[in-house]
Structures are given as structure tokens and as C-alpha cells.
Amino acid sequence: MRNGFLFFLGLFAALTFSWAGIVLWSNQQLGTLTPYFDKDQEQAFPGRIPGVAAQGQLVYQDLGCAACHTQQVRRPSFGSDKARGWGDRQSVARDYVQQVHVQLGESRLGPDLVNLGARKPAYDEVDLYKLLYAGTPTMPAFPFLFEQKSVAGREPSDAALNFGGRLSPPRGIEIVPTERARALVAYLLSLNNPYEYPEARPVEPATKEGEAK
Amino acid sequence: MTTAPNVRPASASAAAASAEISDIDLVARGSLSLQIISGLLWLVISGAFALVNLIQAQMPAFLAECPVFTYGRTHAMAETAFIYGWAANAGFAVALWLLGRLGGNPLRSLNWVTIGTIFWNLAVLGGVIGIAFGEGTSITFLQMPRAVQPLLLVAFGAIAIPGLIAWIGRRQQATFASQWYVIAAFFLFPWLFSAAQVALLWTPVRGVLQAITAGWFVQGAWTLWLAPLALAPAYYLVPKITGRLIPNYDFAPVSFWTLVVIGGWTGGRHLVGGPVPAWIASVAVVSSVLLLFHYLVVALNLRGAFSKPSVALKFVGLGLIAYVLGGILDAVTAFRSVAVTTQFTWFTQAQTQLAWYGAFSMMIFGAIYFLTPRLVNQAWPSSPLLRAHFAASVIGTVTLVGALAVAGLTQGRDLADPKISFVEIAADTRVWLEVAAAGQALLLIGNAVLAFHFIRLTIAKVFAPAVPAAALFRQPPSMEASAT
């Protein structure tokens, strides 16, 4: 390798080649993907993300939730994702077109969250606040997302949380979720992709599907 | 086409000593010591965060009240401090030293390195603090807040100037493997880093394309930046210390180009089964397997690392084992039938740690042990400290990687069974994570020992009278490259 110019050219070409192949080519394939308009329901899927949920996505990002939670369901024949109730179909690229910052995640120390809003039995806000406030044996608590306020000389706030039992605050103190907690919970509940896009349908081999029905 | 480092016969031992400690090394003392010491301090910081992170994995309540130390943030801080703090600083220092030596001239414009390194470290510090206070991006390898990332690019530009000058002004037209790897790392890093910044931070691509681009960048940062930075000193040290030509050197250029051309395509292996086109994972399988050729040639070329009882070579040898093993594991886990179990588990963490601590850090440690005495013209003061660091590195890496791998396989097996809850999975993996934390703690201690040893050596230099150079090195002078 005596020719420095050729050497640099080779390096440049090699990386450009992989950039073009992986990033530009998939951009060509998926970059123009739009939400799917369902004529019967007269609605486009996935829908826009509500403003407060979009803020919640930033909270999810800055706390680093993606270090333990994925947001992608694999197809039913590939892993136990469906059996664990994380989603009836595999996640497809269209699920994410409305998201500003996609966090597929790389680690499953906790459950997948891409369909958290569609769990059965369904979570409501108080369940999620309780999870965040108290944690579980496998998930840390996030107590700094809540404020403890004195109620001396005023009515308790409407937003005050009453978890009951061991988690009840001392007398004269109330627990109120902060703005960030509210945004985060709104975001988590907005995670819900039940719609079956055309490309998401062949989730299982045809024969199997026939048997199941 | 290429030549190995010029091996010349010795004329006299005095000449050998002056060749061993030449201007080439001495002029670079200040800037390169600054880079290495900041790298080592970041390594210790990263180890501390990684240890906290592993403890949190078993005891989620640990430091949970403190928003600065959520699990996600300690994870991001450990990664950032390792890659941009330790790996970049130390890797650049070793790379510049190699370019100077192999170029045959003293490095010039080293003030740029000093200034660049100061700004680089300020940017990393700002980035880590930013992550702690919630400004992080949650994108692997780009965790730092957006604002500091362009500063890293500019600082890198300054650091690379002397390297570029040394390359252009090299005395021999023909080049050696170490130079290819260094130049590739120096040239491809800004290309990769700026492209990833634009596509992920400044004008983010849409939807899952972000995950695809991030996968391309993460894999590229390893195969085109960090791995070349680690291989460059290995290719230099093995022939230099053993005094033998590199066996099967004819294959080295093909191996190099395999890494550069194919390496960028293997990023899709993390996206198996994900919401991306299936060809991305398929291309990753094919390219990971093709890349095995590169690992094979590297193993053949550098097998001399096991033939001499030198400290630097011991580290390089360890790094070589980890590097090749890591390549094989990457190829195996790219296959869908394996990925279905190992994906999303501790096993991927085991692979990461094998690459970071096992391959990269060991090879760079070898280089630091070799080049520092030559930079400061003083031998390492304490061989117990040296042995302590080596023992901690070996035992720590094996324990950490082994325990994480077992934890990952357990977790993968449990995840496949929908009846096993996350509480049970945590109970099953707990003991292995404890072992892994012990390994991480040992690595932390070992790296703190090296940082202390390095500081002691550089400070001792300031206060101690100079020892005649010939007394420091027992190597036959014939092993010196054409540095005079």
C-alpha cells in the first residue's frame, strides 16, 4: 500500500458503501412510510401522539428506561413475546412512524412496553403511579417523580394519590405526582398498537393460522 | 507491497540505547502522557459507574432515591466514560505514538494534541454530567447531550493533526499494518461520527430508521474505530518484542480490507426479529460470517504474542484471544436460531464487555506498558503493581464476561418460557450477576492500580534523576525499528 491517495479512497469508499447499503437503502424502502388510512373506520393508524405523551417520551428517554425495557414485539413463532401478552402481532416499521425518537431497546430486564396501554387486565394511571412510586422487587422506585406536600390549612389536592396500606403518607402529608410523572404515565398509556396493518397480518404460517381459527 | 518494521543489526549497545529513547518518543511526552492519564482516570470512573449499575441490576432499590443514578443513567454514564473517556483518549495516544515511530520522524504540532485533548475531555465531562441531569439522548454510543457532540468532532480534528503530518511525511513510502489500522481509525471515525450525529441527533431519520442507523454506527464504531485502534499496537508490538517477522503477513492486507469493507455491514445483528426489513438481519449474518476470515488472519499473524514472557505481550495475547473469541461469538449470535435466545439478555452485555475490556483494553494496556517507559525515559517503578494489574485484568475479565454469559443464557432460557415471571428470572440470574459484579470490582481495582502506577511513574520522572537509558531496557537492540 504505497499509494496514500488510493488508500484513502478505498477507506472512504468502503464506509460510504456500507452507509449507502444500510442507511440509504433502508431509507429508500421505509423513509416514505405513512400512517395507514382505514376507510371503514375513517381513521389513520397509528394516530398522532398526544402532546403530553410526547413530553412523556422525553422523560422516558432521560431516565433511561430503554436500558431495561424494549419496545418491539417479535413475531409469535420467534420467542415468547405473544405468549407473554405483549402483543398479538409482531411490531412493524409503520408502528413507529409518528414517534420522534424511537427506542426499540436492547435489553429485557423488564417486560416489553410497546403495547402497555393494551394490557389485559388494563393498567390505569393509579397502577402506573404506584409502580413508579414504590417500585417492585425487579424495578427501582422513582420517588423523585413525586412530591410530598403538607396539607395543613388547605384542602387536599385533586391529584393526590392514595395508594393505601404501607405506602400511605403520614397524616397531614399528601403525595402528588410531578408534571414529569404525569407526562410519563400518559406516554406509557399511549403505547398501544392493536391495529392490524396489511404487512403485519402474516404473523404465523398460513396452516397454523387456519388451525387456530 | 508492504514491509514489516525494518529489523537492523546492532552495532553497539550505546547506539541501541539512543535508538530506544529517541527524540521521536521524547518530544511527545507531555501530550501523550496527558492523553493516557485522562484515559486511565475515565476508565476508573467508568468502572465505578459500571459497578453501581451491576449492583442496581440485582438490587433495584440501590441509590434509587437519587435521580442522578437511575439504572438507565448509570448505564449510559459507564458507557460514555468508557468509549469517549478511556478508549478514545488512550487509543489516540497509542495511535499517535505509532504514527510517529513508524513515520520515522518526531511528531510535530503536538500543541494541537494538548489543546484537542483538553477540549475533548471537557466535552466528555460535560456529556457525563449532562446525562446525570437528564439531558442524555438514550441512543447507544451517542448518549451525551446533543450540545457537546460537535465539540468532540472539533477536538478530534485538533488531535489528529500531528498524526496526519506524520503519515504524510513518513520516511518510507511503503507502509506497515499498524499504520493502515491507525489511519483507518483516524479517517473513518469523523466520517462515522458526523454521519451518525446528523442522522440521529440533528435531523433524525424517521421511525425505525433511527434504530437501523444506530445499529450501523454502533457496529461501525467498534469494527472501524476501536478495533483498528487496538490492532495497530498489537501488530507493532508482536514483531518488535519477539524479534521475528509476522507470519502469514501476506494475508494481512486482505484481512484489513475485509474488516473495513465488511465490518460496517454487521450492525443489523441486534435487530433480528425487530420491526425492520428482514434483509438487514440477513446481511448481518452473512457479513459476520465473512468477517471470520479477518479474525483468522489476525490470529495467525499475531500468534507470536504467546511466545515471549513480556508484560506488554501478555496483555496483547490476552486481547488477541478475546478479540478472536468475540468475533466468533458475534457470528454465532447473529444467526436467528441463536439470537432468539440471546437477544435482549445479559449475553449481549457479555459480548460487549469481552470486546471492551477483553480485547480493546488489554491490547491498549500492552501498548501503554511498552510505550510509557520510552516516553518518560524511566522504567516502571514497581513490578508488584504491574503483576497486580495483570492478575486483576485476567481474573476480572474472565469472571465478568463468564458470569454475564451464564446469566444471559439463563435469562434467555427463562424468557422463552412465558410462565416464568420476571421476578423468577431475577432470582435465577441473581447469583451470576453477583459474580459479575465481583469481576467488575476486580477490574476497577486493577485499573485504579494502573492509574496510580502511571501517575507515580510520570511524577517520579519529575523528581528523580535520570537513569541512563541503556540500563532500562534489556532487549536486544536488533529489535528496534528504523527509528534513528
Side-chain angles (χ1 to χ4, degrees):
Chain A
M1 286 181 219
R2 287 170 176 274
N3 192 328
F5 177 72
L6 263 183
F7 181 70
F8 272 94
L9 203 66
L11 288 179
F12 183 79
L15 190 57
T16 309
F17 185 48
S18 78
W19 163 261
I22 292 185
V23 179
L24 297 186
W25 191 359
S26 53
N27 190 42
Q28 175 78 13
Q29 199 174 352
L30 298 174
T32 53
L33 203 62
T34 54
Y36 180 78
F37 187 76
D38 186 316
K39 285 181 189 143
D40 298 336
Q41 298 189 40
E42 297 202 332
Q43 202 182 341
F45 295 92
R48 280 175 186 268
I49 298 173
V52 62
Q55 288 178 351
Q57 187 173 27
L58 295 176
V59 179
Y60 186 92
Q61 170 185 330
D62 88 55
L63 293 176
C65 304
C68 300
H69 295 283
T70 54
Q71 287 194 29
Q72 51 178 321
V73 173
R74 299 181 293 180
R75 62 179 184 274
S77 56
F78 196 77
S80 66
D81 299 18
K82 182 182 177 185
R84 284 184 179 269
W86 292 340
D88 288 334
R89 61 166 176 84
Q90 64 180 323
S91 300
V92 291
R94 209 190 293 268
D95 286 328
Y96 304 87
V97 290
Q98 299 279 21
Q99 296 190 14
V100 179
H101 179 191
V102 175
Q103 302 195 63
L104 295 185
E106 288 162 5
S107 173
R108 279 182 176 165
L109 294 188
D112 188 271
L113 298 178
V114 79
N115 285 311
L116 188 74
R119 288 280 195 280
K120 286 164 190 148
Y123 283 105
D124 64 14
E125 287 182 7
V126 177
D127 297 331
L128 292 178
Y129 283 135
K130 192 172 175 180
L131 265 179
L132 290 171
Y133 181 72
T136 70
T138 54
M139 182 185 128
F142 294 86
F144 47 87
L145 291 177
F146 299 85
E147 284 176 311
Q148 299 210 346
K149 289 181 176 171
S150 166
V151 285
R154 65 180 175 90
E155 288 291 302
S157 153
D158 290 342
L161 297 165
N162 187 7
F163 299 124
R166 167 177 82 76
L167 295 176
S168 300
R171 185 177 292 274
I173 302 284
E174 62 176 6
I175 303 170
V176 186
T178 58
E179 280 301 315
R180 296 175 74 210
R182 283 179 218 192
L184 179 59
V185 165
Y187 169 64
L188 292 174
L189 288 174
S190 80
L191 291 172
N192 188 351
N193 292 300
Y195 190 82
E196 287 221 346
Y197 303 108
E199 69 268 27
R201 256 170 228 150
V203 286
E204 280 171 283
T207 50
K208 253 191 178 172
E209 206 170 44
E211 283 166 20
K213 280 171 187 170
Chain B
M1 183 174 187
T2 50
T3 56
N6 220 358
V7 177
R8 52 162 60 183
S11 49
S13 68
S18 67
E20 189 61 58
I21 310 292
S22 65
D23 279 353
I24 292 182
D25 296 327
L26 292 181
V27 294
R29 179 186 296 165
S31 336
L32 299 195
S33 299
L34 174 70
Q35 284 186 306
I36 294 175
I37 192 61
S38 38
L40 288 172
L41 291 177
W42 279 118
L43 180 62
V44 173
I45 293 171
S46 163
F49 282 132
L51 185 60
V52 169
N53 190 248
L54 265 176
I55 293 173
Q56 286 174 329
Q58 312 146 44
M59 286 192 288
F62 184 64
L63 293 178
E65 303 78 32
C66 186
V68 173
F69 294 115
T70 69
Y71 180 85
R73 289 184 188 171
T74 50
H75 186 82
M77 289 190 284
E79 176 195 296
T80 305
F82 190 94
I83 297 297
Y84 295 99
W86 153 244
N89 271 313
F92 291 155
V94 171
L96 287 173
W97 179 78
L98 284 172
L99 284 179
R101 276 224 161 180
L102 292 169
N105 290 311
L107 289 169
R108 285 158 55 194
S109 309
L110 280 161
N111 286 341
W112 285 106
V113 175
T114 310
I115 293 171
T117 303
I118 291 170
F119 276 93
W120 179 279
N121 283 306
L122 285 177
V124 177
L125 183 66
V128 170
I129 293 174
I131 294 169
F133 289 96
E135 299 296 321
T137 61
S138 268
I139 302 172
T140 312
F141 274 33
L142 289 175
Q143 305 270 13
M144 287 182 272
R146 288 204 304 181
V148 304
Q149 308 233 19
L151 183 56
L152 287 173
L153 265 180
V154 177
F156 170 75
I159 293 170
I161 288 174
L164 202 62
I165 295 177
W167 162 262
I168 293 170
R170 66 187 185 276
R171 287 200 179 168
Q172 291 184 4
Q173 248 342 83
T175 54
F176 176 58
S178 295
Q179 284 165 302
W180 318 331
Y181 281 108
V182 167
I183 289 296
F186 268 26
F187 180 62
L188 296 180
F189 170 68
W191 197 143
L192 263 170
F193 194 46
S194 55
Q197 279 188 19
V198 169
L200 291 170
L201 298 175
W202 302 107
T203 53
V205 286
R206 292 185 71 209
V208 292
L209 290 167
Q210 292 171 13
I212 296 170
T213 312
W216 172 81
F217 173 62
V218 169
Q219 192 62 39
W222 170 249
T223 51
L224 303 178
W225 178 42
L226 296 179
L229 280 180
L231 287 175
Y235 267 99
Y236 182 77
L237 293 179
V238 171
K240 179 116 184 124
I241 297 175
T242 59
R244 295 201 197 103
L245 292 176
I246 291 180
N248 310 97
Y249 188 71
D250 290 348
F251 286 107
V254 194
S255 160
F256 169 78
W257 286 111
T258 310
L259 180 73
V260 171
V261 175
I262 309 272
W265 290 83
T266 53
R269 59 196 177 84
H270 299 293
L271 296 167
V272 176
V276 297
W279 63 262
I280 288 182
S282 305
V283 165
V285 176
V286 175
S287 48
S288 304
V289 172
L290 286 177
L291 208 52
L292 288 177
F293 173 74
H294 161 77
Y295 292 103
L296 173 73
V297 174
V298 168
L300 287 175
N301 282 168
L302 299 180
R303 62 181 188 266
F306 303 104
S307 65
K308 271 230 166 172
S310 131
V311 176
L313 271 196
K314 276 186 188 170
F315 275 104
V316 170
L318 261 183
L320 178 65
I321 296 174
Y323 184 67
V324 174
L325 181 65
I328 296 171
L329 283 179
D330 281 359
V332 170
T333 55
F335 283 92
R336 289 183 169 84
S337 50
V338 181
V340 69
T341 310
T342 58
Q343 202 182 14
F344 307 137
T345 69
W346 288 107
F347 197 84
T348 52
Q349 277 295 314
Q351 288 174 274
T352 309
Q353 300 302 331
L354 181 65
W356 290 5
Y357 279 105
F360 180 88
S361 300
M362 294 304 152
M363 290 189 186
I364 295 290
F365 287 151
I368 288 177
Y369 277 117
F370 185 84
L371 74 84
T372 311
R374 288 155 173 81
L375 274 189
V376 299
N377 197 3
Q378 184 100 18
W380 287 97
S382 157
S383 66
L385 287 182
L386 217 150
R387 280 200 296 274
H389 178 233
F390 183 71
S393 297
V394 178
I395 303 172
T397 308
V398 171
T399 313
L400 175 67
V401 174
L404 285 177
V406 177
L409 293 175
T410 313
Q411 186 192 3
R413 188 198 64 203
D414 286 358
L415 274 173
D417 182 349
K419 290 195 234 25
I420 299 180
S421 72
F422 278 94
V423 176
E424 291 167 286
I425 296 176
D428 283 352
T429 53
R430 189 183 177 97
V431 62
W432 294 109
L433 293 181
E434 280 165 2
V435 176
Q440 185 79 59
L442 200 56
L443 279 174
L444 175 60
I445 294 169
N447 295 335
V449 165
L450 174 59
F452 169 75
H453 203 179
F454 185 88
I455 292 172
R456 205 174 128 192
L457 173 57
T458 40
I459 288 181
K461 175 65 200 165
V462 178
F463 297 108
V467 182
L472 297 176
F473 301 100
R474 286 183 216 98
Q475 292 169 38
S478 60
M479 280 157 210
E480 179 61 30
S482 57
T484 47

